[in-house]
Structures are given as structure tokens and as C-alpha cells.
Amino acid sequence: MPACVPTRHDHSSRSSRSPRSSGIKRPHSPPPPHRGGRFRIAGTDVSASITVFLLAIPMSLGLAVAMDAPLEAGLISAAVGGIVAGLLGGTPLQVSGPSAGLTVVTAELIQVYGWRTTCAITIGAGLLQILLGSLRAARSALAVSPAIVHGTLAGIGVAIALAQLHIVLGGSPESSAVSNALTLPARLEQVVPAAPLIGGLTVVILVLWPRIPGRPGRIMRRVPAALVSVAVATAVAAFAAPSIARVDLPSWRSHALPEMPQGPVLGLATAVFTMMLVASLESLLAAIAVDKLAADRNSERSADLPGPGSGPPASPPVKRSDFDRELRAQGIANAVSGLLGGLAVSGGAVRSSANVRAGATSRASTVLHGVWVLLATGLLVTALEWIPLAALGALVMVVGIQMVNFAHIRNVHRHREFLVYGATISGVLLFGVLKGVAIGIAAAVAVALHRLARTRITVTEQGGQHLVVVRGQLTFLAVPRLNRTLGQLPQDADVLVELDGFFIDHAAYEMIQDWSNAHAAHGGRVVFAGRSGGRIAEPPSAALSCCRPWTPWRNHHCHDRTDPAGLSASAGPTEPAGTITDPAPTPAPGATDSPAPLHSGPIPTPPTSDGTDSTGGTDSTDSTDRTDATDSTGCTTITGAAPSGQPHTGTEHTGTQHAATQPPALSTGGSTGGSTDYTPDHDAAPARRTGGQRLVSGLSAFQRDTAPLVREELARLAREGQHPSQLFITCADSRLVTSMITASGPGDLFTVRNIGNLVPPPHSERGDDSVGAAIEYAVDVLGVDSITVCGHSGCGAMNALLGAGPDTPNTPLWRWLRHGVPSLKRMASKRHAWARISGRLPADEVEQLCLTNVVQQLDHLRAHGSVARRLAEGTLQLHGMYFHVAEAQSYLLTEGIGAGHGIDEVFDRVGPSAPYDPYEPAELARTSA
């Protein structure tokens, strides 16, 4: 039996499982969900709704003042956003209402069209949102560059701050950001002390309230800073400045409702589109932030739980956002708010983050917040009219300043997109939101075209070899310069061309190919290399076969097989030689990986025992000269390296491969899936090279291609000795290439491989000293910093454990597998949480056991004396890892488990390195209200 074999379980077998009503629960299955019952409101939702309500009241009034809209319109939009968008939205914890991002747009529309027409425009924007949500276009709205999004919000924030500064100084804002900036000196000459003092007091409280230290600070911060600042400013103004301008809520009888829009059709359509664009972008970005905040909160709560059965049960995880549903709900809320004479509605990161941090678990908190706002509009009118306008202006001014996030500026500068960011801000301030976004998009396109067309070509000479480095993308625009540079090289020179880019168009490829052929014809030698000097191994015939630049890692044996009958007739598109092709994704176990051959024609004849084929040609695998040859069928073949002593000219290609089709992969651990049209005929198939021949061929390839590149590094390691940073314990499965999945090199990992990545406990009756010796040597002698236990999907050892009976044979294999029995017991135990991958449950019993086995082997590892001592000293870390072979995806065990004190055995997905996340919730919380 192989060490690990891929498994594939038929999903149709689920029908044979016991129904939930039977009371039988499989060890790896989640608890059955609660069904039935009335709609209930949790106590945490009630308290969270009150917190958000206390924040929404001053924010809604302040934004209405900033837009020069009726004050009751802000309260209407807050109530509608909470109730309508809360009930229908696709993000349960998102709180909608009037938003700072729409302040500039709405204020401009009110000045141009009046309030009643602006309400009609709000209705139109809502209907357009409903249409886009029904067309499932929400994801497309997130395709805008983060530099443009944050630049737009920053420009709006600057415009808000300039406008509200006039209110804080006791005046009224102008119609545009430029006018507000130009009239500011005159406003300072006419300033009255009362309003600036009240506004300054509000700003001070807003800044200092979240920074109160200690336990009293944690208790006091439960009350929103916005509410405290406005309440204190109102109390101070009541005694110190009784004549200051205050909120004036008109009678509801005089409340203005929308009218039929009046004005040019193009202008009205532009207004509708602008309002829809800003509201949709802000809502969708806030929804992303809420998802991340909710996930982080659930992770923190899971880590804080002391153990199973102790304390209250954790709240169920909130579903991820349905962006299309959220967009439709925002559209309905805008349409209703406009019909009732309210402001435009969008999701706000400030209110939403407060809702999550207050402990909300469902959409009930959002809806209740809207109900409280609705009640306040009728019961708290007298109290609201005591609020000074300067306090509300200061509150909104601080929100506008926070929209200019310096972390965003640093990030866009680091990613060389500051030009786009600056152009967007300038456009928003000078020409308005829609034109500013258009300017930002134009700047982003110009920057992208510049980067695409920019190509740097340098030539250096080292030891008689000319190194030509081409940085950037090779398009027809760079062909003249590249042709001129290559033409200046000596005709018989040894040239290494390093192509550091990911795109070569047809014109550039043809020029490089023609020059390479001409240079080889004059006795020169050319080697093409990719990024970092790695040689490009594939000629045109191999580019679309199963061979890739990482060919030595693939068990494809292209040089051992020929095209199966019936498959050679299909031809695929050609691919230029020298292009760097991303490796194809690894197929699922049992799937067929059969790329079409490049050329059509009859099946090549298998070689005879003397090294020649039936046509009299020499088998290319026995030749040692690496040249390109074309047989009579037109199928391009790559031959081996030249015999020692023979001169070599021409373009060099590394590899000894035929364009071949890979037959379906066979799985011994489960049913085979995929296409079954091709069944290999082993009697008629050509003879494959023996293991010894493949070994010699691989060693020769290493000496020829890899040894010259790593010889210096290996010599250094031989002099200095090994100093690996971690011990890596993983399975002996041939599909796990530790250096590939960890991006490590010589001297990095001290690796121990065995069947099932098992760590026998010390002093056990069936102990194994080889693994224990390796652990002791790595920890005590080499002094590694960390130990990783790595399991993988489709592990044959785990599959064998699941199917083992009481009468297993007493063979070395089964005696070894008995070290995995504790993992079986742990999986069936009710004392331990289910090991799972973050965001989903295990696919089947095998994956459940593979995950549980990693956690169990970490427990065994801690029992070793050297490991326990280093853990106590704090100089050693343990990590659990799971590699999904079919997905080529790694997962890391949460840090609490690695330290031995976690409860939720969750493996988190490891994504590509992203030092900058433009939609980080902590940053988004500062960009909108």
C-alpha cells in the first residue's frame, strides 16, 4: 500500500447517511442547526442598537446641517436606512443612513435644483441601484482602483472640512470647496468667540474620549464620543452662550416632499448617476469592512473561550455579505427615503463598526436602531433643539478630516499610485465628485499604459559573456530599441538574454526569434533566462504540453510517453518560446489532465532497444546535445545535451521532452473521476524508461542546469555547516514537495518525513526512536526556532486508519499506523472541538482526520522533553499546517492551538503576500460615516 493516496468520495453517498431526526451525529459533523421557533431578539442586539442610536442622532443632524438640508430629513434617512436597509440588506450588521461621502454631492444638488428636486434625484438613484443589483453588477463596482476610491473619499473629506469650518466659526459655507477656501480669511476677520469655543470643545472631546486610559476608559468608551461631545457642548452652551445659533426643527406639517424634477435631462441624469455611484461604492466598501470586523470578532471570542462546556455558547458566525442583495436594499432604502423627503442613504463604516464592536449578532440591532431614531423624531424634538450648530459642524468637520487617511497616502505612495490619488483629490475639489472620479480613472489608465510601454534595456559584459537585461513588458513600442541594442553585439558572442517581464507581444517575439536564429547562424550562442536568471526551458513545442518551467517537480514523464491514439488530431494555440507561463492548477484527485498536443500527426514510433526508432532515427532521450529537431510528421522534438567535447552553437533550450498528452491520473485510494474516454493499453504502449534510467537522466539534468547555479551556495553551507530555522515534519507522500510549498532552499529546513506525518509520543510501548532522535537533534543541537507538523489532503495513511478493523496484520506498516489511533479517538471525542478549515467544514471523514491528526501530533510533540523545555523558555514555536493538494493551497493552524492553549481548531487560509489591504476595516472606518 502506498504511503498516501488521493481519495475521492462520491457525494451521492450522502443520501445513505442517517437523517438528523434519528439523533445520530457523525464525529466530524457540525451540530444540527436550530429549526423553527419565533423570531427572537438577543439582548446584545438591543444594547448594540442603543449604542448606534446614540451615535446616529448627532451624526444625522450634523450631516443635514452640512448639506443645508432640512434637519428632519437627516432623521428620516437614518430611520429608513435602519429599518428598510436593515431588513432587506445582504450585510446583516451594516448600519445605513445619511453618510459623509454623499455630503458634497447632496449639498451641490440642493443649491442647483432645490430640496424637492433633490429628493426626486434620490429616488432615481435608488431605482438605478435596484436595477444594478438585479443585474448582479455589485462586484463590478469594486473593480475601481483603491487609489481612486480613497482619493475620492479624501477629496470629499477635505471639502466637508472646509465647509464645516465656516459653521464652526459662526458663518455659513459657500457653494464649493474652492469658494470656501478663498473666503476663509474674510470669515476669520468676522469671527464671534462663542461658536469657535463651542466647536473647539467638541473637537477636543472627540479626540480625547477614545484615548482615556485604564479600566475607567474602557467603561466610559462604551458611550459614543460623538454623543458625549455634543451633549457636553450643548450643556456648556446653555449656560455660557445662550444666544448661540442652535438646531431649529421645523414642524412636520411644513415638511417638503419630492416633486417632479425640473431641469435639463442631461444634468438630472448626471446627478442621478453621481449619487448612485458614490452611495454604492461607499456601501459596498463598508460591507467589506463589516465582514472583516465580524470575522475578527468571532476569532477573538473563540480564542478567549476557556474550554468546551464552560461559559455561554458562542454566537453563530454571521453570514458573509451578499453584495447584490445589499445593493438592491440600498436602492429600496433610497427610493423610500426620497419619497418621504429624506436624505440619500448609504452604508456607513463608522456606524457599522460601532454596531459590530457593541456585540450585535443579527440584523435586529440595525432595525431597532432605526426604530429608536423614528421614536426620537417625535419625542425628543425639544431636547434636540438645544444642540448648537457649531457643535454639529465640529462633529462633521472631524469626520471629514478623518476621511483623509495618512495610512492610505503612505500605501498608495509605496505602490507608486500617488499620482492617481492626487489627481482624484484635485479633481473632486476643483470640479466635483463625478468629474474627479473621471480624472482619477484617466490618470490610472495613463499610469498603467506608461508602465506597460516602459521597457528598460541594459547590456553588461562579464567574463566574455554579454548579459542583456530587459526590464518591463516587451511590446512593439520597444522593438526598435531592443533591435538596435541586440544588433550592436558581436556576431559570435556568448549572450545571455534575461527577460524580466510577463508579457511579450507578437512583434517583439518575432524580432527576438529572428535575431536569435541569425546570431546562432554566425556561430554565436544564446541563452534566454527569465526573472532572477532562471533559464527558460521550454521551446514552442513544449509550451502547451504538460511540461512547465517547474518540470522537475511534476510526475509527468513527458519524455517517456507518446501521444495516445485518437488524441493527436486536436491542436492547441501556440505560445512563444521564452515566455514564462504560470503552472497549471493541480487537478483534483481522479481528474484527467490531458492538454492537447501542439501539432497534429501520427503517433511517434516507440524507440527500440538499441536506441533507434523504426524509421532509423536516434532516440532523442539518448542524445546529449540540446537542439531542436522536427520529424517527418511536423512534430517538434527537443533533444538532449551535446556530448562532451562537441561544440555547441545556436539557441539553448533546457529539457528532454516530447509534446505529449498526459493520460488520466490513476487513484488507488478512491474512484477515478473525469473523462474515461481514454484507457491506456499497457501491452501496446511504448516501453517507459526504468527507474534507474530516470534517475541517471535526472542527475544529469541537475549537473547540467542546476549545479552551476547553486554550487557557490552549497560550498558556503559546506564550510559553515547547517543552521536551519525550523524542523518540518510531514508525510512521505510524493506529491508534497516541501521546498516548493515553503519557498525554501538549501539549509532552510530540517525535514523529517514518514507515513502519515506521525510523531510517536516518548516512552510509548511502540515508540520510534528515529523520529524522537530527529526532534532532539533539531531542538538541542541545531537550535531550530520552530517546528511545523504538516498534513495534507487525500492522505492514504488516514484513509487506512478509518478503514482499519480490529484484526489488522502485525506488519511494520500497521505497527507504525497505530501511532495515529489517538487522532481517531480525538476526532470521535466530544471533549474536543472539530478541527476545520476557516470558512467551511471538512469535506469528508478523511479530511476531518487529516486536520485532527495535525493537532494531535502537536500534542505528542509537546510531550518530548527537549521540546517542552524550549517551549517553557519561550524560544520555540510550534505550528500546524495543512496542504490541500488539489487546490495547491496551504492552511495554518490558529496560533492558540500552536501554543497549546487554544480551543477552536481552525486552519486559516494562507493567501498571497499583501502588505497593503486597501479595504482594511480599521482604515475604512475612518473614510465614511
Side-chain angles (χ1 to χ4, degrees):
M1 187 185 76
C4 294
V5 293
T7 58
R8 183 176 186 271
H9 294 268
D10 190 358
H11 294 286
S12 63
S13 63
R14 295 178 180 175
S15 59
S16 62
R17 297 179 179 177
S18 302
R20 296 186 185 272
S21 59
S22 65
I24 300 175
K25 180 173 71 68
R26 299 172 66 88
H28 63 282
S29 63
H34 175 73
R35 298 182 180 273
R38 296 177 298 174
F39 177 76
R40 298 182 179 182
I41 300 176
T44 54
D45 288 330
V46 176
S47 61
S49 68
I50 296 175
T51 301
V52 179
F53 158 72
L54 296 176
L55 174 65
I57 288 294
M59 288 293 296
S60 301
L61 294 175
L63 291 173
V65 171
M67 299 176 192
D68 197 20
L71 298 184
E72 68 273 14
L75 300 176
I76 292 175
S77 60
V80 171
I83 298 174
V84 177
L87 285 174
L88 305 178
T91 308
L93 301 186
Q94 176 159 275
V95 181
S96 302
S99 178
L102 291 167
T103 301
V104 176
V105 177
T106 307
E108 183 179 358
L109 293 178
I110 292 174
Q111 291 181 356
V112 174
Y113 297 106
W115 170 244
R116 300 183 67 183
T117 301
T118 301
C119 292
I121 292 173
T122 302
I123 298 174
L127 296 177
L128 186 56
Q129 284 180 308
I130 297 173
L131 176 61
L132 292 177
S134 302
L135 296 176
R136 300 185 178 277
R139 290 280 181 181
S140 302
L142 298 177
V144 183
S145 168
I148 298 175
V149 174
H150 294 304
T152 302
L153 295 177
I156 293 173
V158 172
I160 291 173
L162 288 173
Q164 296 312 296
L165 183 56
H166 284 267
I167 295 179
V168 172
L169 296 176
S172 299
E174 300 295 329
S175 58
S176 66
V178 176
S179 300
N180 284 323
L182 295 177
T183 57
L184 188 58
R187 178 65 58 193
L188 291 173
E189 295 177 356
Q190 305 173 2
V191 67
V192 178
L197 290 176
I198 295 298
L201 176 63
T202 305
V203 172
V204 169
I205 297 176
L206 283 172
V207 173
L208 297 181
W209 187 260
R211 293 172 171 80
I212 299 176
R215 183 177 179 182
R218 290 195 299 269
I219 297 175
M220 296 171 66
R221 284 196 297 270
R222 295 178 181 177
V223 182
L227 177 65
V228 175
S229 61
V230 172
V232 172
T234 301
V236 172
F239 294 98
S243 60
I244 194 173
R246 303 178 188 275
V247 170
D248 182 15
L249 288 174
S251 172
W252 286 103
R253 296 178 181 177
S254 61
H255 180 65
L257 296 176
E259 64 179 4
M260 290 298 296
Q262 300 177 359
V265 176
L266 181 60
L268 293 172
T270 302
V272 170
F273 180 79
T274 303
M275 182 173 288
M276 179 277 303
L277 176 66
V278 176
S280 300
L281 282 177
E282 194 166 17
S283 299
L284 295 177
L285 293 179
I288 294 176
V290 169
D291 280 347
K292 293 183 178 180
L293 286 172
D296 293 342
R297 184 188 66 179
N298 290 337
S299 300
E300 292 173 0
R301 288 183 174 180
S302 298
D304 292 340
L305 287 178
S310 60
S315 58
V318 181
K319 293 183 179 179
R320 292 188 63 85
S321 296
D322 182 344
F323 292 124
D324 295 306
R325 177 180 175 182
E326 181 65 29
L327 187 59
R328 291 192 298 269
Q330 294 291 332
I332 296 173
N334 272 315
V336 174
S337 180
L339 285 172
L340 297 178
L343 296 173
V345 170
S346 73
V350 173
R351 291 185 298 268
S352 301
S353 61
N355 189 38
V356 175
R357 293 190 176 98
T361 59
S362 69
R363 64 180 72 246
S365 63
T366 303
V367 177
L368 284 177
H369 132 269
V371 174
W372 306 144
V373 173
L374 187 62
L375 294 176
T377 57
L379 302 178
L380 300 179
V381 174
T382 303
L384 297 177
E385 290 182 339
W386 280 92
I387 301 176
L389 293 179
L392 295 178
L395 172 64
V396 179
M397 182 181 69
V398 170
V399 173
I401 294 173
Q402 290 175 343
M403 294 173 70
V404 185
N405 194 325
F406 289 100
H408 292 160
I409 297 176
R410 288 193 299 268
N411 285 323
V412 297
H413 185 269
R414 185 170 66 248
H415 288 80
R416 298 185 301 168
E417 291 187 340
F418 186 78
L419 178 62
V420 178
Y421 185 84
T424 307
I425 291 180
S426 302
V428 170
L429 292 175
L430 296 176
F431 305 107
V433 175
L434 187 61
K435 294 180 180 178
V437 172
I439 292 173
I441 293 175
V445 171
V447 169
L449 290 177
H450 172 72
R451 291 174 179 173
L452 180 64
R454 184 184 180 186
T455 306
R456 290 179 294 174
I457 305 173
T458 59
V459 180
T460 57
E461 184 176 358
Q462 302 174 353
Q465 184 185 55
H466 292 77
L467 173 62
V468 181
V469 180
V470 183
R471 310 282 184 190
Q473 319 323 316
L474 271 178
T475 64
F476 66 94
L477 299 174
V479 167
R481 287 194 297 122
L482 182 59
N483 195 8
R484 183 169 57 253
T485 301
L486 296 178
Q488 294 174 353
L489 299 175
Q491 293 185 351
D492 57 348
D494 186 1
V495 182
L496 173 62
V497 181
E498 181 177 329
L499 304 177
D500 188 358
F502 58 84
F503 176 75
I504 302 178
D505 72 357
H506 184 72
Y509 166 70
E510 289 289 346
M511 190 279 297
I512 292 176
Q513 190 70 19
D514 293 341
W515 171 83
S516 174
N517 294 334
H519 191 79
H522 287 83
R525 181 174 180 269
V526 181
V527 176
F528 288 98
R531 183 170 301 180
S532 303
R535 294 185 181 183
I536 298 177
E538 278 68 35
S541 61
L544 280 182
S545 70
C546 58
C547 308
R548 297 296 183 204
W550 46 285
T551 287
W553 291 337
R554 291 203 61 180
N555 184 26
H556 53 76
H557 306 303
C558 290
H559 49 283
D560 295 332
R561 289 198 296 263
T562 54
D563 293 348
L567 294 180
S568 297
S570 61
T574 60
E575 183 175 338
T579 57
I580 302 175
T581 308
D582 291 334
T586 306
T592 302
D593 182 12
S594 302
L598 186 64
H599 303 284
S600 59
I603 305 172
T605 307
T608 61
S609 59
D610 60 355
T612 59
D613 57 24
S614 58
T615 61
T618 302
D619 181 12
S620 62
T621 61
D622 293 334
S623 173
T624 51
D625 184 33
R626 287 169 292 159
T627 57
D628 294 348
T630 305
D631 60 16
S632 60
T633 65
C635 180
T636 303
T637 305
I638 312 110
T639 58
S644 62
Q646 290 187 5
H648 185 137
T649 60
T651 303
E652 179 175 349
H653 297 288
T654 306
T656 306
Q657 302 140 357
H658 289 280
T661 302
Q662 184 176 354
L666 301 179
S667 171
T668 59
S671 59
T672 57
S675 174
T676 58
D677 297 337
Y678 167 66
T679 301
D681 186 352
H682 298 285
D683 296 330
R688 295 175 57 173
R689 291 188 301 173
T690 65
Q693 291 174 327
R694 287 199 298 271
L695 174 63
V696 173
S697 176
L699 292 175
S700 300
F702 169 80
Q703 295 300 141
R704 179 179 64 245
D705 303 323
T706 309
L709 303 177
V710 300
R711 184 172 288 116
E712 183 178 353
E713 175 65 12
L714 291 178
R716 183 189 66 81
L717 291 173
R719 292 191 308 268
E720 301 176 1
Q722 63 168 328
H723 301 284
S725 60
Q726 60 177 305
L727 168 61
F728 200 85
I729 303 174
T730 188
C731 186
D733 192 290
S734 62
R735 297 166 297 177
L736 286 182
V737 184
T738 57
S739 59
M740 179 175 67
I741 63 178
T742 60
S744 57
D748 292 338
L749 300 180
F750 188 73
T751 307
V752 174
R753 306 189 67 153
N754 59 52
I755 296 176
N757 47 275
L758 301 177
V759 180
H763 314 300
S764 64
E765 297 179 359
R766 296 181 299 272
D768 183 271
D769 289 337
S770 64
V771 178
I775 294 172
E776 181 180 350
Y777 184 78
V779 174
D780 292 340
V781 180
L782 298 178
V784 296
D785 300 326
S786 66
I787 304 178
T788 301
V789 177
C790 175
H792 68 96
S793 61
C795 182
M798 300 300 105
N799 202 9
L801 281 173
L802 286 172
D807 52 348
T808 55
N810 188 22
T811 63
L813 175 61
W814 285 105
R815 287 198 299 270
W816 170 258
L817 288 181
R818 290 188 184 119
H819 295 300
V821 172
S823 300
L824 275 174
K825 295 179 179 179
R826 185 187 189 101
M827 187 177 75
S829 173
K830 297 182 179 179
R831 296 174 47 249
H832 298 282
W834 291 286
R836 60 184 177 85
I837 293 176
S838 179
R840 69 173 177 87
L841 294 173
D844 50 32
E845 288 179 304
V846 177
E847 185 171 67
Q848 175 72 76
L849 185 56
C850 291
L851 297 171
T852 304
N853 183 58
V854 173
V855 181
Q856 183 64 38
Q857 301 313 312
L858 286 173
D859 286 349
H860 291 175
L861 193 58
R862 296 186 194 96
H864 285 260
S866 56
V867 175
R869 185 182 65 258
R870 288 281 303 277
L871 287 175
E873 296 171 355
T875 59
L876 182 67
Q877 292 182 341
L878 303 185
H879 303 288
M881 176 180 165
Y882 177 75
F883 184 74
H884 197 292
V885 177
E887 297 175 358
Q889 178 61 56
S890 300
Y891 298 87
L892 279 179
L893 191 61
T894 50
E895 192 169 345
I897 295 295
H901 50 70
I903 175 174
D904 198 7
E905 300 167 359
V906 179
F907 289 76
D908 292 326
R909 181 180 183 272
V910 179
S913 177
Y916 166 53
D917 188 351
Y919 305 125
E920 186 67 27
E923 297 176 359
L924 280 174
R926 298 198 261 302
T927 61
S928 60

